[in-house]
Amino acid sequence: MTPADDRQRIERMPGRRRARLTPAPGTDAEPAAADDRTAARAADAKEAGPNDDRMRREVPPHY
């Protein structure tokens, strides 16, 4: 396999303005289910540090 084969490619979509990228190698193109995301967050919460709760509450300002 050449380096060009394991990279994302641009696919032109007929009749559309925008092209799309093929999925990156080693990734899953399907979105994760909500249950999977909440399970991942629960696993992260078990390993939470002292500032993690504050960081989740604070959000950047929107301009």
Side-chain angles (χ1 to χ4, degrees), residues 7-13 18-22:
R7 294 191 62 178
Q8 287 180 297
R9 292 181 317 278
I10 298 172
E11 294 181 343
R12 298 194 187 274
M13 305 300 293
R18 294 184 182 211
R20 70 175 197 187
L21 288 174
T22 58

Side-chain angles (χ1 to χ4, degrees), residues 1-46:
M1 187 180 288
T2 65
D5 291 339
D6 59 345
R7 294 191 62 178
Q8 287 180 297
R9 292 181 317 278
I10 298 172
E11 294 181 343
R12 298 194 187 274
M13 305 300 293
R16 294 186 181 177
R17 278 186 172 197
R18 294 184 182 211
R20 70 175 197 187
L21 288 174
T22 58
T27 61
D28 185 12
E30 296 298 318
D35 294 338
D36 295 342
R37 289 190 302 258
T38 53
R41 282 192 209 121
D44 289 343
K46 291 179 185 174

